């Protein structure tokens, strides 16, 4: 269905451009948000190297609830303000954490995780979900990754 022969050595902005293009292709014309998040989680895991978890938490009744993902089973509910995801949801701001062990309150779903990138998805000024990426590598994520995932989050606001 899609060419997933991703070249992990591509420059990061180009990798994110191709990821966004693939996410557009898989979600176009589909109005079920869960189905779209599931395919986007699979694409993030396929396009972005050195991840051990890629997926979504959705804002449900004032707390984050686990959504579609690729990776090991994870914590189901995260209160606002707790952990990296809860910080992103509470502030509406991207959290780029180079060393999760140095982040106060980090929630360790997978002990292998060393760095994390969490980007809120906003609709009409409200956080409706967050994209969460985890890596077993220290300092895996750069400002270019944050910019790429922020573009994806803006794009997905109307498709989830
Ligand atoms: N580490 C996250 C929890 C979610 S898992 O990584 C999938 C956090 O601190 O919010």
């Amino acid at each position: 269905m899609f060419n997933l022969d991703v070249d992990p050595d591509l420059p990061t902005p180009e990798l994110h451009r191709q990821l966004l293009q693939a996410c557009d292709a898989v979600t176009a014309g589909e109005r079920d948000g869960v189905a779209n998040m599931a395919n986007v989680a699979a694409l993030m895991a396929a396009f972005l190297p050195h991840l051990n978890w890629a997926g979504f938490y959705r804002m449900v009744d004032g707390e984050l609830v686990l959504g579609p993902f690729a990776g090991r089973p994870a914590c189901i509910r995260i209160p606002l303000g707790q952990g990296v995801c809860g910080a992103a949801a509470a502030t509406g701001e991207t959290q780029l954490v180079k060393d999760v062990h140095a982040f106060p309150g980090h929630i360790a779903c997978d002990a292998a995780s060393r760095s994390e990138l969490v980007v809120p998805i906003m609709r009409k000024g409200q956080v409706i979900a967050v994209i969460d990426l985890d890596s077993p590598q220290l300092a895996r994520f750069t400002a270019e990754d944050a910019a790429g995932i922020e573009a994806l989050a803006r794009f997905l606001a109307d498709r989830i």
Side-chain angles (χ1 to χ4, degrees):
M1 186 170 167
F2 297 100
N3 178 14
L4 290 178
D5 291 335
V6 183
D7 176 0
D9 295 327
L10 285 174
T12 301
E14 175 60 16
L15 213 48
H16 281 280
R17 196 191 64 75
Q18 293 188 11
L19 169 62
L20 187 60
Q21 198 173 42
C23 291
D24 186 11
V26 291
T27 59
E30 176 50 61
R31 64 181 188 284
D32 189 281
V34 172
N36 287 339
M37 285 187 276
N39 269 332
V40 170
L43 285 173
M44 292 191 296
F47 274 78
L48 304 175
H50 314 302
L51 302 187
N52 58 334
W53 204 90
F56 294 85
Y57 280 86
R58 300 156 300 127
M59 189 74 93
V60 181
D61 297 334
E63 67 180 341
L64 290 172
V65 181
L66 183 63
F69 65 92
R72 292 191 175 181
C75 352
I76 299 170
R77 292 176 185 270
I78 300 178
L80 278 199
Q82 284 193 19
V84 187
C85 291
T91 61
E93 286 172 11
T94 295
Q95 305 291 312
L96 199 170
V97 180
K98 292 190 180 301
D99 179 359
V100 295
H101 295 169
F103 188 94
H106 167 253
I107 301 165
C109 292
D110 183 340
S113 295
R114 293 307 311 277
S115 58
E116 183 160 358
L117 174 63
V118 182
V119 175
I121 301 177
M122 318 282 297
R123 191 190 294 150
K124 295 180 184 154
Q126 306 284 327
V127 176
I128 58 166
V130 302
I131 297 173
D132 182 15
L133 302 178
D134 287 17
S135 172
Q137 289 186 353
L138 201 58
R140 153 69 181 81
F141 303 104
T142 64
E144 289 181 336
D145 289 301
I149 298 300
E150 284 168 355
L152 181 60
R154 284 192 296 276
F155 173 77
L156 289 176
D158 292 326
R159 298 209 179 179
I160 64 169

